[in-house]
Amino acid sequence: MDKENKLPLWDELPTFEIYLDQLLDLANNYVYPITGEHLTRTMMHNYTKAEVIVRPQNKRYLKIHLAGAIVVSLLKSVFSLDTIKNGFQIEMEQDSAQEAYDRFVNMFNQVSKTSDSEYSGSENPNSQAAMIQYQAILSVTYHLRAIATMRKILLQTLTTPISDVKKQKNTSSESFQN
């Protein structure tokens, strides 16, 4: 990713309601330089229909929709929509949309700044083939780790009594506020 292309934080997103065409323009301005792919009306309709992104009110979109569109656009090449939806649900149980989005953006922007010179394989790091392999391996391993972590969290959620989940949530909220 070009070092100049960085994702906006929550507070940098528009604070007013926008229409779908405006959302697509904004999201594509952020995501297209990174992915080389455009977000389309059909994609957005599919994301809301599948309840990956919450439905807009009266065809008006808010920050949460734009933030969701940006994140889904980046994750969809690696994860299924169901996996993304499950990940969003886990995030929303833990934090607000703003906290989850800003954490994602900060991590994404930080990792995107990482230089390919960190490659330390036995192959010549200047070899294009070795760099492609290295980046592909990183993608696969990070994908597998994320899926394993999500499964672990979902399994814990399914096997933890509701009263324990509420206690954990209250405890984590209190420690976050302190």
Side-chain angles (χ1 to χ4, degrees):
M1 180 174 114
D2 185 339
K3 290 177 180 155
E4 294 179 19
N5 296 325
K6 70 174 208 158
L7 298 177
L9 293 169
W10 184 270
D11 289 336
E12 297 171 309
L13 299 175
T15 57
F16 48 88
E17 295 178 341
I18 57 176
Y19 290 102
L20 180 57
D21 288 338
Q22 294 166 309
L23 179 135
L24 294 173
D25 287 343
L26 288 167
N28 284 324
N29 283 337
Y30 297 124
V31 175
Y32 182 79
I34 297 168
T35 66
E37 296 180 10
H38 283 99
L39 177 64
T40 66
R41 288 176 155 274
T42 302
M43 290 173 174
M44 274 303 293
H45 289 300
N46 288 341
Y47 302 158
T48 56
K49 184 177 179 183
E51 298 179 350
V52 177
I53 296 175
V54 295
R55 294 186 186 272
Q57 295 292 324
N58 300 319
K59 299 183 181 184
R60 303 276 177 112
Y61 294 80
L62 304 169
K63 277 187 184 190
I64 195 165
H65 299 104
L66 180 55
I70 291 168
V71 174
V72 172
S73 293
L74 293 168
L75 295 179
K76 71 181 177 69
S77 65
V78 179
F79 296 102
S80 70
L81 287 182
D82 282 340
T83 301
I84 295 169
K85 179 180 176 180
N86 288 336
F88 281 1
Q89 289 170 344
I90 290 169
E91 288 289 336
M92 294 301 100
E93 289 174 6
Q94 301 294 315
D95 294 311
S96 69
Q98 178 177 357
E99 291 168 325
Y101 175 77
D102 280 348
R103 182 175 46 252
F104 177 87
V105 166
N106 284 324
M107 283 191 276
F108 186 89
N109 289 340
Q110 185 62 39
V111 170
S112 297
K113 280 195 251 180
T114 304
S115 166
D116 289 335
S117 64
E118 291 182 14
Y119 172 73
S120 60
S122 60
E123 297 286 330
N124 177 0
N126 295 326
S127 160
Q128 291 178 340
M131 194 53 62
I132 291 169
Q133 290 173 338
Y134 171 71
Q135 291 172 341
I137 290 166
L138 282 178
S139 298
V140 170
T141 57
Y142 286 146
H143 172 79
L144 294 173
R145 285 182 192 163
I147 294 295
T149 301
M150 189 178 300
R151 284 185 181 140
K152 181 180 173 185
I153 292 169
L154 288 172
L155 184 61
Q156 287 173 344
T157 303
L158 294 174
T159 59
T160 304
I162 301 271
S163 60
D164 290 350
V165 171
K166 288 180 181 177
K167 286 178 190 174
Q168 287 174 351
K169 191 170 184 180
N170 289 337
T171 303
S172 65
S173 298
E174 290 168 7
S175 63
F176 182 74
Q177 292 172 356
N178 293 334

